[in-house]
Amino acid sequence: MQMINKVVHKTKMFGELVMFSHTLFSLPFAVISMIWAAGGIPSTRVMLWSLIALVAARNGANAFNRIVDLKFDAANPRTANRHMPRKILLPREVYVFVTVNFAFFILAAGMLNPLCLWLSPVAIVLICSYSYTKRFTWLCHLYLGFTIASAPIGAWFAVTGQFAFTPFIIGTIVMLWIAGFDIIYATQDIEFDRATGLWSVPRVFGFEDALLISRTLHGIMVMLLLALYFIQGLGWLYLTGIVISIMLLAVEHNIIKPTSRKRMNLASYNLNQVISMTILFFTLADQFLLG
């Protein structure tokens, strides 16, 4: 029993380390991509291995980022309470976690099709390299979005084994959306980034201009979501989901208050989880009830 409790506790710690609940950012768009690629529900095999690939890649990348950022996380009062700065999880444990997750990712890619297997090492390099972009460019937010955009693109490849135009539109939507709310989140660290030489849009452009850039990225995201309505020949249920998502984005940008960490987390994370699930629900409803 003691061993089981220890395993459960350690699993919980790793789940918190990689913020497992944030899988809701990429997973809904990956599901949409798979459904559209298959023209319906994909096979159980494809869905299972795609889910394993997505979760493993995300876990590995997030854990690797924690290793790379350990020095900065320990120095930043906002992040000093995380697991690695407090030595709740040691670097060697996290390295093993990263290795195991990337091994599962490559295995899952191989179980899907040759294209996914061939692209899997490329994907690992891309998603891990994000951790270093904060050291030399304020475009790091877009690069983060770009790496997470690999989820819906990879999901399409998992179903078809072929390149197509639509998944790259979905990926661009994800990239702009992620970058937009990551900029909002980064406004909390303007002074720390300046003091340590880290790069971010808020550090370079200031608080107000950073929020304007965030709104612009989300505006382009909405236009692309509307473009998919015509490209995919979707119906009124999809449009309903987009309208609700636009209203949620408006709330997100209106509640931002740099002196309130609770509000910043709500704007950057909680509302966006609702947005992704809203888009997923109404898109699937449109696909299966009106399609």
Side-chain angles (χ1 to χ4, degrees):
M1 181 61 71
Q2 185 177 2
M3 178 62 69
I4 294 175
N5 290 336
K6 185 176 180 180
V7 171
V8 170
H9 175 72
K10 191 67 73 172
T11 301
K12 182 175 180 289
M13 292 299 100
F14 278 113
E16 293 174 354
L17 176 80
V18 300
M19 297 182 290
F20 189 77
S21 63
H22 292 183
T23 306
L24 288 179
F25 294 141
S26 56
L27 180 60
F29 288 95
V31 172
I32 290 171
S33 187
M34 280 194 289
I35 295 294
W36 284 352
I41 300 177
S43 69
T44 302
R45 182 187 66 84
V46 168
M47 292 186 68
L48 174 63
W49 286 112
S50 295
L51 180 62
I52 292 173
L54 187 152
V55 172
R58 186 200 169 279
N59 285 349
N62 275 34
F64 182 79
N65 182 61
R66 290 288 181 262
I67 295 170
V68 173
D69 280 353
L70 177 57
K71 177 181 70 174
F72 297 107
D73 285 346
N76 188 342
R78 185 180 63 80
T79 57
N81 203 41
R82 287 177 174 172
H83 296 71
M84 292 191 70
R86 291 170 57 199
K87 294 183 172 55
I88 295 175
L89 290 172
L90 301 176
R92 64 174 179 272
E93 295 177 300
V94 181
Y95 272 119
V96 171
F97 182 78
V98 170
T99 303
V100 169
N101 274 277
F102 283 152
F104 270 106
F105 171 61
I106 294 173
L107 170 65
M111 295 299 294
L112 287 165
N113 55 60
L115 177 61
C116 290
L117 178 60
W118 181 79
L119 289 175
S120 59
V122 179
I124 290 173
V125 171
L126 289 176
I127 60 181
C128 287
S129 58
Y130 155 71
S131 302
Y132 298 97
T133 58
K134 293 171 285 187
R135 287 145 170 82
F136 62 87
T137 178
W138 53 266
L139 293 173
C140 54
H141 313 282
L142 279 168
Y143 194 85
L144 172 64
F146 169 72
T147 62
I148 297 176
S150 63
I153 295 173
W156 188 286
F157 293 163
V159 174
T160 67
Q162 298 176 344
F163 285 88
F165 181 60
T166 299
F168 287 96
I169 298 178
I170 303 173
T172 302
I173 289 168
V174 172
M175 179 183 74
L176 296 170
W177 173 53
I178 296 291
F181 72 72
D182 190 57
I183 289 172
I184 294 173
Y185 192 71
T187 58
Q188 300 175 94
D189 292 330
I190 293 177
E191 296 306 320
F192 180 80
D193 289 347
R194 286 173 178 162
T196 55
L198 291 175
W199 289 75
S200 69
V201 164
R203 175 218 161 170
V204 174
F205 296 97
F207 182 79
E208 294 298 334
D209 285 344
L211 295 185
L212 176 60
I213 292 170
S214 175
R215 288 193 294 270
T216 300
L217 294 177
H218 283 166
I220 300 171
M221 164 205 170
V222 168
M223 287 189 286
L224 289 176
L225 283 168
L226 293 173
L228 283 175
Y229 169 78
F230 298 100
I231 294 171
Q232 292 296 115
L234 301 169
W236 65 269
L237 280 172
Y238 174 82
L239 282 180
T240 301
I242 301 309
V243 169
I244 295 173
S245 298
I246 291 172
M247 291 190 291
L248 289 171
L249 280 171
V251 171
E252 174 181 326
H253 285 277
N254 284 327
I255 66 172
I256 297 169
K257 188 176 180 182
T259 56
S260 172
R261 176 164 169 73
K262 186 175 180 180
R263 284 196 178 191
M264 295 301 290
N265 282 335
L266 177 63
S268 300
Y269 290 145
N270 303 104
L271 276 175
N272 284 292
Q273 290 174 335
V274 177
I275 288 171
S276 63
M277 293 304 295
T278 298
I279 293 174
L280 174 64
F281 175 80
F282 281 95
T283 301
L284 295 186
D286 195 282
Q287 175 79 22
F288 295 109
L289 296 181
L290 303 181

